[in-house]
Amino acid sequence: HPAMEMDHMGPSPMEYLSRPFSQDPPTKMAVSNPTRRFDVRMPPDLAQDMQDLEQETGLSRGEIFRRAMALYKSAKQTQSARGNVILRDSDGTIREVIGI
């Protein structure tokens, strides 16, 4: 069971997706909202990916996790509404994400 922890709530998941990735996270809001703390277990390869992302982006594990959850939620909602989730590489290659 996740442990409950009181904290100030940051921006909504959709706000995470709408700002540039390189932008620093906004400061915490003054309004107090409950947040939850989760302990997440990962296989070694995913743990290494997390560590690599921390070093590459300068973001905390929590911030990376929040952004990943916001992106997953948005992709899941898009697919549930019969939309397509598309990734476009810098060379123009397009891939559809299936099975979210």
Side-chain angles (χ1 to χ4, degrees):
H1 299 281
M4 290 292 289
E5 178 180 282
M6 295 300 288
D7 196 2
H8 298 288
M9 187 65 139
S12 73
M14 294 315 293
E15 288 174 305
Y16 278 112
L17 295 175
S18 64
R19 70 175 191 258
F21 180 72
S22 62
Q23 183 178 344
D24 291 334
T27 57
K28 292 182 177 183
M29 301 167 126
V31 178
S32 180
N33 292 311
T35 61
R36 297 175 103 183
R37 175 171 286 212
F38 292 90
D39 292 323
V40 179
R41 298 190 191 280
M42 297 181 189
D45 58 329
L46 287 180
Q48 183 62 53
D49 289 345
M50 176 65 84
Q51 188 173 14
D52 293 346
L53 284 169
E54 288 177 84
Q55 291 174 352
E56 291 170 19
T57 64
L59 298 173
S60 69
R61 286 180 190 168
E63 182 63 19
I64 292 167
F65 188 76
R66 283 186 288 276
R67 290 181 184 199
M69 289 296 297
L71 183 58
Y72 179 83
K73 182 177 180 181
S74 179
K76 189 69 176 159
Q77 288 172 339
T78 297
Q79 285 188 334
S80 293
R82 299 180 189 257
N84 297 43
V85 178
I86 305 293
L87 300 176
R88 184 186 320 252
D89 292 337
S90 60
D91 67 0
T93 303
I94 296 174
R95 294 177 285 150
E96 181 176 1
V97 178
I98 300 173
I100 290 182

